[in-house]
Amino acid sequence: MSDARNFPDWQELYRSTPAESMPWYHEGLDPDLERALEQRQVARGRALDLGTGPGTQAFALAERGFDVTGSDLSHAAIEQAAAKAAQRGLAARFLQDDILDSKLDDRFDVVLDRGCFHCLPPERRADYVRTLRRLVAPGGHLFLKCFSVLEPFDQGPYRFTPEQLREIFGADFEVLSAEETVYHGPREPPPRALFAVLKLR
């Protein structure tokens, strides 16, 4: 049985839909990321918000003093996020980029993926991991939030178990934790998620 999934045209979605109404929209820093940064004592450095979308996580990290870059496949998302950052007087940079053919050449102490990985085709996951190995700085962290197999709604992103994340990432990253949580946002009940903390080997 095929596990192929259909995803929206991200460019058209961000052009036609208010960001505040999107299921993953969360004003302010994701509580799981906030807790992980405190536990790992990560308070500064270069940060990449991968699949930044409406830019809320990039804004929150910039407000905390991180040197932030937000990237997204959608030009419309990037334009909107950059405009909002300018309105807020934040120095975050926003770049259009495809993580599966990434032109990013910096290395980051913190990479946050709050919804990109679980939308990728299964056959491209190894490409994603190789790219992230290049982008995460030595000693840096990847903070990954994705749908959990416990999420009952059968549409949308791929689902994962902690064991699957260890299998996918384990050769290049040490999976320090992978815990059940939810996607904080406007949807009720909130989607079930995994939040994983990974450190470059």
Side-chain angles (χ1 to χ4, degrees):
M1 185 173 78
S2 173
D3 191 30
R5 293 178 178 268
N6 294 317
F7 295 102
D9 179 322
W10 302 112
Q11 174 71 1
E12 180 57 32
L13 179 69
Y14 278 97
R15 183 185 291 123
S16 62
T17 305
E20 293 79 3
S21 69
M22 295 177 182
W24 50 87
Y25 184 86
H26 179 70
E27 187 72 38
L29 196 63
D30 185 289
D32 294 304
L33 176 61
E34 183 174 22
R35 183 167 51 253
L37 291 173
E38 291 172 356
Q39 290 174 346
R40 302 299 301 173
Q41 297 183 324
V42 180
R44 61 183 58 85
R46 304 190 72 187
L48 172 64
D49 182 21
L50 177 61
T52 191
T56 56
Q57 302 309 296
F59 304 154
L61 288 168
E63 287 167 351
R64 285 171 170 250
F66 286 88
D67 178 9
V68 181
T69 298
S71 71
D72 201 280
L73 188 63
S74 166
H75 285 282
I78 290 300
E79 291 167 0
Q80 292 170 24
K84 289 180 181 177
Q87 290 172 2
R88 298 185 184 198
L90 297 173
R93 295 174 298 279
F94 291 93
L95 305 170
Q96 192 279 333
D97 190 64
D98 179 354
I99 194 59
L100 295 178
D101 186 26
S102 181
K103 303 301 188 292
L104 294 169
D105 58 4
D106 296 324
R107 303 200 79 175
F108 300 90
D109 306 294
V110 168
V111 175
L112 169 65
D113 180 340
R114 193 175 173 268
C116 178
F117 169 71
H118 66 188
C119 292
L120 300 179
E123 65 272 14
R124 300 301 305 275
R125 290 171 186 162
D127 298 327
Y128 172 92
V129 175
R130 278 192 291 271
T131 299
L132 268 291
R133 179 170 181 80
R134 175 172 62 80
L135 293 176
V136 177
H141 292 82
L142 168 62
F143 298 100
L144 176 69
K145 199 164 204 176
C146 61
F147 264 29
S148 165
V149 292
L150 299 182
E151 168 55 35
F153 183 61
D154 62 1
Q155 302 297 310
Y158 293 95
R159 278 80 164 140
F160 297 90
T161 65
E163 293 73 24
Q164 286 174 314
L165 294 184
R166 292 187 177 93
E167 181 178 341
I168 292 166
F169 288 92
D172 297 287
F173 290 86
E174 181 183 1
V175 182
L176 301 176
S177 62
E179 299 178 353
E180 296 289 344
T181 182
V182 298
Y183 265 99
H184 305 87
R187 208 179 104 186
E188 290 294 341
R192 301 293 295 271
L194 284 176
F195 184 80
V197 178
L198 302 94
K199 191 175 180 71
L200 187 65
R201 290 192 184 277

